[in-house]
C-alpha cells in the first residue's frame, strides 16, 4: 500500500469517517488489537498504525479484534450467522473446525462458507485458520526472543510459547539426537513467509497463510522423524538477505542449498522449474515436455503444486497453455504480482 493511502486512511480514522467502513482496518501495534475506522476508542499515533484492506491480513499479522468496535461481528455489519460463528471462534480461537462443529451450532457449513466469503472475502475455514495461525505466530514471535535467551544460558524447555509452537510445528525434542530443523519468520511485501532449514539446507519456504501449511509442516516433521523449533541456521540467515534482494528486483536466482523431499518424478519437475529463467513463463504442457513426459501434464501440474520452496523453485512461472494464470498455492493474486515484478525488473527487456 502506498504511503499516501496510509495517510488517507489515517485521516479517515481520526475523523471516524464511516465511508471507509469495510475499506480498511487498522491494527494498533502497541496493543495488538485491530479496529474499524469508526471505533470510539482513543486514536493511536500514526506510527503505531498498520493498515489492512482485509480481515485475513489483520488476523495473520496476529492482531485481535477490538472488543469495542467489533470489526468482525458488529451487528449492523454482519448477519446473525456470521456473528454467531465469529463469537464461537473467539471462545476457542485455536480450535480446528469439523463438520460436526457446524452441526452442533445448527449451522449449515455451505451457508457459512458463502456468507463469510461475501463479508470477509474468505471462507469460514480460512478465517478460523487465519485467527489460529495469528495467535500461534504471535506466540512464536514473542517466544523467539525467549528461546534465544534460554539457549544462551542452556536449554530450558518449559516456556508456554514452546507449547504454542509445538501445536503448529510438532513436538519439541525430548532427546538430544533427534534431527532438528529450525523455522524462521520473514516479512515480505507479499505478506509474512515462514522458512524451515537445518544447518546446511532449506526445506521449506511458504507464505504463512498458504492453504494447508500446517499439514505441510506436519508432513515434513514426520519425514525427518525429528523436531522443528523456532530459530535461525546459516541458510535461514542468508535467505533473509536473498528475499530482500529478490523483492527489490536485484536477485534473480536463489543460491541457498536446498533439500528436496519428494518422489523422483517430483524432483525432476522441480529441477526443471528451477531452469525457467526469471521473468519468463512456461505452460504445464511445456514443463511435461521438458522432462520427457509429454503425456504426464496432470502429474507435472500436481508436482508443481507440491513444491514447498516458494520463489526458490519458481512454480509461479508456470501458467495455463491458454495464457491464463492457473493456480498458485499462495493465491493467484500473489502469482500475478510475482510475474509482474519479474517482468518489471527483467534485464532482457532493457
Ligand atoms: Zn476498536
Amino acid at each position: 500500500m502506498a504511503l499516501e493511502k496510509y495517510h488517507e486512511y489515517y485521516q479517515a480514522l481520526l475523523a471516524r469517517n464511516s465511508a471507509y467502513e469495510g475499506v480498511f482496518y487498522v491494527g494498533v501495534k502497541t496493543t495488538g488489537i485491530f479496529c474499524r475506522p469508526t471505533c470510539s476508542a482513543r486514536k493511536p499515533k500514526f506510527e503505531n498504525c498498520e493498515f489492512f484492506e482485509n480481515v485475513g491480513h489483520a488476523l495473520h499479522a496476529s492482531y485481535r479484534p477490538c472488543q469495542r468496535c467489533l470489526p468482525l461481528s458488529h451487528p449492523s455489519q454482519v448477519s446473525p450467522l456470521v456473528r454467531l460463528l465469529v463469537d464461537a471462534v473467539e471462545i476457542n480461537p485455536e480450535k480446528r473446525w469439523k463438520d460436526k462443529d457446524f452441526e452442533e451450532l445448527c449451522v449449515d457449513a455451505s451457508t457459512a462458507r458463502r456468507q463469510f466469503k461475501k463479508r470477509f472475502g474468505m471462507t469460514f475455514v480460512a478465517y478460523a485458520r487465519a485467527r489460529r495461525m495469528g495467535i500461534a505466530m504471535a506466540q512464536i514471535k514473542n517466544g523467539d526472543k525467549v528461546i534465544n535467551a534460554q539457549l544462551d544460558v542452556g536449554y530450558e524447555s518449559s516456556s508456554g510459547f514452546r507449547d504454542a509452537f509445538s501445536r503448529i510445528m510438532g513436538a519439541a525434542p525430548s532427546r538430544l539426537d533427534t534431527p532438528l530443523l529450525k523455522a524462521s519468520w520473514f516479512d515480505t511485501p507479499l505478506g509474512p513467509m515462514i522458512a524451515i532449514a537445518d544447518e546446511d539446507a532449506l526445506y521449506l519456504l511458504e507464505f504463512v497463510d498458504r492453504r494447508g501449511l500446517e499439514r505441510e509442516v506436519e508432513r515434513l516433521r514426520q519425514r525427518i522423524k525429528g523436531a522443528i523449533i523456532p530459530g535461525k541456521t546459516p541458510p535461514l540467515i542468508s535467505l533473509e538477505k536473498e528475499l530482500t534482494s529478490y523483492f527489490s528486483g536485484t536477485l534473480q536466482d536463489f543460491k541457498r542449498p536446498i533439500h528436496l523431499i519428494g518422489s523422483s518424478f517430483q524432483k525432476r519437475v522441480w529441477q526443471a522449474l528451477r531452469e525457467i529463467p526469471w521473468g519468463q513463463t512456461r505452460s504445464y504442457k511445456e514443463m511435461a515436455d521438458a522432462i520427457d513426459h509429454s503425456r504426464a501434464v496432470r502429474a507435472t501440474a500436481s508436482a508443481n503444486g507440491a513444491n514447498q520452496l516458494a520463489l526458490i523453485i519458481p512454480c509461479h512461472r508456470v501458467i495455463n497453455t491458454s495464457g491464463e494464470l492457473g493456480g498458485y498455492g499462495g493465491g493467484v493474486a500473489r502469482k500475478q504480482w510475482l510475474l509482474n515484478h519479474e517482468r518489471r525488473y527483467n534485464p532482457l527487456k532493457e
Side-chain angles (χ1 to χ4, degrees):
M1 236 189 283
L3 196 61
E4 296 128 56
K5 211 172 199 181
Y6 288 138
H7 283 289
E8 178 193 333
Y9 288 169
Y10 189 66
Q11 291 311 317
L13 183 69
L14 293 181
R16 302 201 167 100
N17 186 340
S18 63
Y20 285 82
E21 204 72 89
V23 173
F24 74 87
Y25 300 87
V26 59
V28 183
K29 292 175 193 165
T30 45
T31 58
I33 285 170
F34 77 101
C35 288
R36 298 190 285 132
T38 55
C39 184
S40 60
R42 231 184 56 153
K43 297 301 180 182
K45 287 184 183 153
F46 179 73
E47 61 266 32
N48 291 328
C49 292
E50 197 173 347
F51 294 98
F52 302 98
E53 288 175 341
N54 81 49
V55 160
H57 293 161
L59 293 173
H60 277 125
S62 304
Y63 287 100
R64 301 188 305 285
C66 171
Q67 295 288 347
R68 201 180 303 188
C69 64
L70 305 171
L72 302 172
S73 55
H74 197 271
S76 72
Q77 302 212 319
V78 302
S79 70
L81 171 67
V82 169
R83 190 172 183 170
L84 173 78
L85 287 169
V86 166
D87 290 347
V89 168
E90 290 313 304
I91 290 167
N92 180 7
E94 291 177 47
K95 173 184 182 134
R96 280 157 210 267
W97 283 72
K98 306 253 163 54
D99 284 344
K100 71 165 178 36
D101 298 319
F102 292 102
E103 282 161 28
E104 278 167 21
L105 286 172
C106 302
V107 165
D108 173 45
S110 71
T111 311
R113 188 185 166 86
R114 215 171 36 246
Q115 291 200 8
F116 264 79
K117 194 98 193 170
K118 193 168 163 221
R119 179 64 186 83
F120 298 129
M122 63 206 297
T123 64
F124 173 71
V125 171
Y127 166 85
R129 186 173 57 235
R131 184 78 180 96
R132 200 167 71 229
M133 289 294 266
I135 290 171
M137 290 302 171
Q139 286 164 321
I140 288 163
K141 281 200 275 190
N142 295 335
D144 209 4
K145 295 172 205 126
V146 177
I147 199 143
N148 286 334
Q150 286 174 345
L151 287 171
D152 289 341
V153 293
Y155 210 71
E156 165 61 54
S157 64
S158 60
S159 76
F161 126 82
R162 286 177 66 85
D163 301 335
F165 197 81
S166 299
R167 282 197 294 277
I168 305 188
M169 293 296 166
S174 51
R175 296 162 43 146
L176 284 174
D177 60 353
T178 308
L180 196 61
L181 298 184
K182 296 205 176 150
S184 285
W185 170 291
F186 303 108
D187 288 311
T188 80
L190 286 182
M193 298 187 85
I194 192 163
I196 299 178
D198 62 14
E199 293 298 318
D200 305 312
L202 284 168
Y203 286 65
L204 180 140
L205 175 65
E206 292 283 19
F207 290 99
V208 169
D209 58 0
R210 187 211 208 284
R211 192 175 180 76
L213 176 63
E214 287 159 287
R215 230 178 316 126
E216 214 178 290
V217 170
E218 174 58 17
R219 231 176 4 236
L220 175 58
R221 198 182 64 75
Q222 285 169 2
R223 290 293 284 267
I224 63 159
K225 297 188 172 59
I228 303 171
I229 64 165
K232 285 195 165 36
T233 64
L236 292 168
I237 292 164
S238 320
L239 177 65
E240 184 159 24
K241 293 195 196 93
E242 286 198 337
L243 280 175
T244 307
S245 309
Y246 174 85
F247 281 107
S248 65
T250 55
L251 176 128
Q252 311 205 332
D253 195 11
F254 288 87
K255 300 280 188 285
R256 290 314 94 219
I258 56 176
H259 185 98
L260 301 174
I261 297 180
S263 68
S264 60
F265 180 82
Q266 286 175 323
K267 287 179 186 169
R268 282 181 68 184
V269 173
W270 296 335
Q271 189 48 47
L273 285 170
R274 296 195 81 191
E275 286 159 20
I276 309 175
W278 165 282
Q280 296 190 21
T281 55
R282 298 281 184 275
S283 68
Y284 294 103
K285 173 78 174 70
E286 286 170 325
M287 292 310 295
D289 291 342
I291 57 162
D292 296 324
H293 276 275
S294 30
R295 293 171 69 188
V297 177
R298 274 173 155 242
T300 305
S302 98
N304 199 62
N307 171 32
Q308 303 196 333
L309 287 156
L311 311 181
I312 297 174
I313 295 179
C315 58
H316 60 276
R317 293 180 196 152
V318 184
I319 60 173
N320 290 345
T321 312
S322 62
E324 281 164 26
L325 277 188
Y328 188 57
V332 175
R334 285 199 180 109
K335 186 173 189 173
Q336 182 71 69
W337 191 99
L338 291 168
L339 293 175
N340 291 346
H341 173 67
E342 294 186 0
R343 274 180 207 130
R344 195 162 43 234
Y345 290 99
N346 194 345
L348 296 177
K349 287 181 83 180
E350 281 165 11

